[in-house]
Amino acid sequence: MKELQNEALSVDALLLARSYLYALFGKVFSGEPDGTLVQTLSDTNTLDALEEYSSESVALGELRDYLRGLSAFVGDEAAIDRARSEFTRVLIGPATLPALCWGSPYESKDPALFQRGTLEVREAYERNGLVPSRILHVPDDHLALECNFMAEMGRRCITLFEAGQLDALTESIKVQKSFLDKHMLDWVPLYASGLERSGKAPFYSQLASGIAELVRLGSTFLGEVLFWFETGKSESSPGGLSQAMKSCAETLPEFRSAIEHVLELSPKFSEEYALVAIS
């Protein structure tokens, strides 16, 4: 039982870390950088979240080291102004973007907004009771919205995990893995590579590469969690596995607060890429 408990704690920590990182990336790719956002990117909670995955990923370890270095720029208005200029260049325009930050063009080879792939993403949101706050004004398959969706689904997953609700949790994880595999796994790495090749996005290309790696690892990780459920149920009992998961609810309280802190961040423009409950 002790081994099962340790495994549950490890899985819970990884679930918390990925929800935190997706929430933070959602803010970064929707909102104009400010001092609070830069400070959050370089703070201990972000570095600890990346540390949870860095043993499995050289790329996320490198991102952790890069973000640690940002602490030197907290309060440096000139540096933050440069990040704002890059945000405009990379995500707003009016000049041609160095790489398109929504998914459907990478599948269709057509740069237009609101294609079939966009509608498929919207349907995935709607099946889970969510809708973009500015539906029809921003593409549903924008990177920020997709990160925000994964963050919200991750938070729901944590709640189910710590309530020991195995059946509902299994379905939630299947939804997340399906979304990653169908709607993020192919195009996000292409976007990150496009930003890097452009030479115009030293800050955002690092972060986009981090998202691409989180997506790749997440697809594998969620598959392993599903396997762990089945193994745990067969080797112990559904009740034993459920109890091990419930006992995680009081762990890492500082990190749970950190997730709420990220969700409360409101850099300029970020509200345009929020997901809200369908009324």
Side-chain angles (χ1 to χ4, degrees):
M1 184 63 186
K2 183 66 174 177
E3 181 179 356
L4 186 62
Q5 179 62 56
N6 289 336
E7 291 172 353
L9 288 169
S10 178
V11 171
D12 194 42
L14 287 166
L15 291 172
L16 283 161
R18 68 187 292 274
S19 182
Y20 175 93
L21 290 170
Y22 275 121
L24 182 56
F25 287 140
K27 298 292 184 179
V28 168
F29 278 85
S30 64
E32 185 178 84
D34 57 23
T36 302
L37 185 59
V38 171
Q39 183 173 14
T40 303
L41 280 167
S42 61
D43 74 13
T44 301
N45 294 310
T46 301
L47 302 181
D48 287 349
L50 289 166
E51 182 69 27
E52 288 289 337
Y53 288 95
S54 61
S55 63
E56 302 293 329
S57 169
V58 172
L60 289 182
E62 291 174 347
L63 178 61
R64 178 199 58 209
D65 295 340
Y66 174 78
L67 295 180
R68 182 183 287 117
L70 288 183
S71 61
F73 299 101
V74 173
D76 184 339
E77 284 303 317
I80 293 172
D81 282 343
R82 290 194 296 273
R84 289 191 184 109
S85 295
E86 187 176 323
F87 173 83
T88 300
R89 184 167 64 250
V90 168
L91 292 160
I92 297 180
T96 301
L97 301 182
L100 299 180
C101 50
W102 55 95
S104 51
Y106 294 89
E107 178 181 356
S108 69
K109 312 305 179 186
D110 179 353
L113 297 171
F114 300 105
Q115 301 180 48
R116 179 173 60 86
T118 315
L119 299 180
E120 291 174 353
V121 169
R122 182 184 301 168
E123 289 168 0
Y125 298 159
E126 290 175 346
R127 284 195 297 272
N128 291 279
L130 298 167
V131 65
S133 60
R134 298 200 68 223
I135 190 169
L136 303 181
H137 292 278
V138 297
D140 308 67
D141 53 348
H142 190 283
L143 181 59
L145 277 168
E146 293 193 349
C147 285
N148 287 337
F149 178 67
M150 294 309 298
E152 171 59 24
M153 295 304 295
R155 291 173 70 225
R156 295 181 186 183
C157 185
I158 292 163
T159 299
L160 293 170
F161 185 94
E162 294 172 355
Q165 297 182 22
L166 277 171
D167 291 341
L169 177 59
T170 297
E171 289 308 308
S172 177
I173 289 179
K174 287 179 178 178
V175 167
Q176 292 177 70
K177 180 167 170 47
S178 175
F179 190 86
L180 287 175
D181 292 347
K182 291 180 180 179
H183 301 300
M184 297 185 78
L185 194 58
D186 290 334
W187 84 267
V188 177
L190 294 176
Y191 173 62
S193 296
L195 281 185
E196 184 176 8
R197 286 196 307 271
S198 75
K200 298 178 179 180
F203 178 62
Y204 283 92
S205 63
Q206 292 270 0
L207 295 164
S209 295
I211 298 175
E213 188 69 356
L214 186 63
V215 167
R216 182 187 71 79
L217 288 175
S219 177
T220 302
F221 167 65
L222 293 176
E224 291 173 346
V225 172
L226 290 172
F227 179 76
W228 178 71
F229 289 162
E230 293 305 316
T231 303
K233 286 190 290 187
S234 62
E235 292 184 354
S236 56
S237 68
L241 179 58
S242 178
Q243 188 57 46
M245 290 157 55
K246 288 179 181 179
S247 66
C248 297
E250 302 302 321
T251 61
L252 301 173
E254 298 87 356
F255 205 67
R256 297 169 196 277
S257 297
I259 293 175
E260 297 306 313
H261 165 71
V262 169
L263 293 170
E264 290 170 2
L265 294 176
S266 56
K268 186 178 179 181
F269 305 123
S270 61
E271 69 280 357
E272 298 185 12
Y273 296 88
L275 286 167
V276 297
I278 295 174
S279 56

